[in-house]
Structures are given as structure tokens and as C-alpha cells.
Amino acid sequence: MSMPPELARKIGVIARAAGVAILDVYHGDFAVQMKDDASPLTAADLAAQQAIMAGLSALDEQWPVLSEEASARPWSERQQWSRYWLVDPLDGTREFVKRNGEFTVNIALIDDRRSVLGVVLAPVTGELYVAAQGQGAWLQTQADGAWQRIHARALAQPPTVAGSRSHGGAQGEVLQRLIGDDYRMVPLGSSLKFCLIARGDADVYLRLGPTSEWDTAAAQCVLDEAGGAVLDLAGQPFRYNRGESLLNPEFIAVGDRAIDWAARLLKGEE
């Protein structure tokens, strides 16, 4: 039976443990604090961080960990890293606070600035997305369930656009230039937008505005291995640990693997 490689499955188990910790908070009363960047923080973020760190520390091979919910690691240290874990314990805290279920656990392994292993868990639905470089992408719908290979699709007509629920932005003009007037918009929180494309249920996700590296790395691996791509607005694949800033450039995620197609549209040459 086809299934992800062993390390990817182990990280999936760690993500599920973080999901349990998140749901323990989600189903009760919780307070919301605001971080310095005005993003929300709850006990679930911290509980998931603890579960992930405990799981990673128990692995045979040990690599540095860069996480949204841990002290920042300076560039002077990070620039020496060739391989490390990039973690968002709870991606979509705004959706968590709204209790709409659209939040995820993101764990990626970065090697030479590329996301080579990605795990994304949706705690509320139990859907677990796992991918490893050169070995494909899988979906497991229940903790004790079978693994199902997933694949992105060729551009549908009309296309389906996965859009941010909490960070809409002024995207209409760009989307019109990319795919025309006739498309269906599906608003969705967190890294689930990438996963929707990876499993062939959407075609495009355009993000204009800031995101951080831990927001995209795990889901990028899933989408890449499902046959899609995550590109900056010059049409180049995303890379990580690029410099002192942990902010991503603006980007587009596509299910159609034709990178030249995406770059051509972005440059307005179509």
C-alpha cells in the first residue's frame, strides 16, 4: 500500500498530537492576547508549540527549529543552517478565535533553502496532508485511516480561486489579468488554501501582502509534490532562510504545473 516515507509519517503523528492540544483549548473558554505585530495569541498556540517541540526532540536526528511561537533566532545564527524545522504551531489563529475550524498545524523541513518535507493538519476535520520531496503528496482523513495520494489539476474553466478569509486585499484587478473575469472565489483561512489546490479542488491562490516563512513552507511542499507550484511575482519558486527578514514576498500558488504559464500571466504577456 502506498504511503508517505517514515519521517513524514512521524511528523504527521507529531502534528496530530499538536492538534489534540489545540482542540482541548478550542472546545473550552480561552483568552486572546495580542502580540507585538497585532496578531492574536491563545493558549492553543503555546500548547501546540510544546507538543511539537516535545515530538521533534524525541526524533533520532536533531536539527534546529524555527517557530512562530518561540524566541526569534538571529540571522547570524540562521545563516549557518543548511537543514532545520520551520514550524507554525497554529496557523490561522484569527480563524481559531472565530471558531470556524479553518486553522492548521504546519511543520516543514527546510534543506538548502527548499521545503523538502511538509505536514499540514486541520485539527477540526482531522485531515492530514503530508509530502516529501520527490516522493509525492498524501492525504489521511483520520488518524487510523489509509493514505490517499493527491494531485493538483490542470487549470479548470472557469477557475476556482482560493482566497484569504481574513486578509482579502485588493486582488481583483490582478486576478482579472491572470485568469479573466469568470472565476469562482472560495474564501478559506490558513494554509488550507494551498491544500485545496493540492487535492484538485481549486486552481489559484494569490496573496498580496505580508506572510511569514512558517505560513507557507509546509503547504508549499504539499502543493509542489501534488504537481503545483508556489511562485513569487517574478515567477520564481519560493525559497526559505533567504536573509534577516522572515517575511515572504507576495506570491501566487497554482495547481497547474506549467510555471512558464504562471510567469507569463504575471508579466502580462498572455
Side-chain angles (χ1 to χ4, degrees), residues 96-251:
F96 177 90
V97 171
K98 296 174 186 175
R99 298 184 192 267
N100 65 17
E102 296 175 2
F103 50 87
T104 58
V105 176
N106 299 340
I107 307 175
L109 181 62
I110 308 300
D111 188 4
D112 192 23
R113 294 184 168 82
R114 291 170 169 81
S115 180
V116 299
L117 186 150
V119 170
V120 177
L121 171 73
V124 170
T125 65
E127 293 176 337
L128 178 67
Y129 298 86
V130 168
Q133 187 179 52
Q135 300 186 63
W138 288 263
L139 169 62
Q140 185 188 57
T141 56
Q142 296 180 351
D144 58 351
W147 292 99
Q148 165 191 344
R149 284 290 296 266
I150 58 173
H151 303 277
R153 68 189 184 191
L155 181 67
Q157 294 297 335
T160 295
V161 175
S164 176
R165 188 176 295 281
S166 296
H167 303 277
Q171 302 181 4
E173 182 179 342
V174 179
L175 284 171
Q176 183 179 29
R177 178 160 59 87
L178 290 171
I179 56 177
D181 294 320
D182 186 15
Y183 59 86
R184 184 172 70 98
M185 178 68 76
V186 178
L188 196 61
S190 72
S191 58
L192 289 172
K193 296 178 284 293
F194 299 90
C195 298
L196 198 68
I197 300 172
R199 72 187 193 204
D201 288 334
D203 301 286
V204 175
Y205 165 39
L206 173 67
R207 178 57 187 258
L208 304 181
T211 58
S212 296
E213 293 189 0
W214 44 67
D215 294 320
T216 59
Q220 177 181 356
C221 187
V222 172
L223 181 52
D224 284 349
E225 290 301 313
V230 180
L231 311 166
D232 65 25
L233 296 193
Q236 297 301 308
F238 253 30
R239 297 292 180 257
Y240 296 91
N241 207 28
R242 299 178 300 272
E244 185 169 355
S245 175
L246 292 169
L247 292 178
N248 289 322
E250 295 176 325
F251 65 84

Side-chain angles (χ1 to χ4, degrees), residues 35-101:
K35 296 189 285 189
D36 291 342
D37 63 358
S39 62
L41 176 70
T42 71
D45 298 81
L46 303 179
Q49 168 74 9
Q50 292 175 357
I52 292 169
M53 293 303 296
L56 294 179
S57 67
L59 295 176
D60 292 336
E61 295 189 82
Q62 294 293 299
W63 295 299
V65 180
L66 180 63
S67 173
E68 180 178 15
E69 305 307 341
S71 299
R73 310 293 285 270
W75 172 236
S76 60
E77 178 183 348
R78 288 190 289 111
Q79 64 184 331
Q80 308 300 321
W81 295 353
S82 60
R83 176 172 281 205
Y84 67 99
W85 296 107
L86 183 55
V87 174
D88 191 345
L90 203 173
D91 180 31
T93 304
R94 287 183 174 85
E95 314 310 327
F96 177 90
V97 171
K98 296 174 186 175
R99 298 184 192 267
N100 65 17

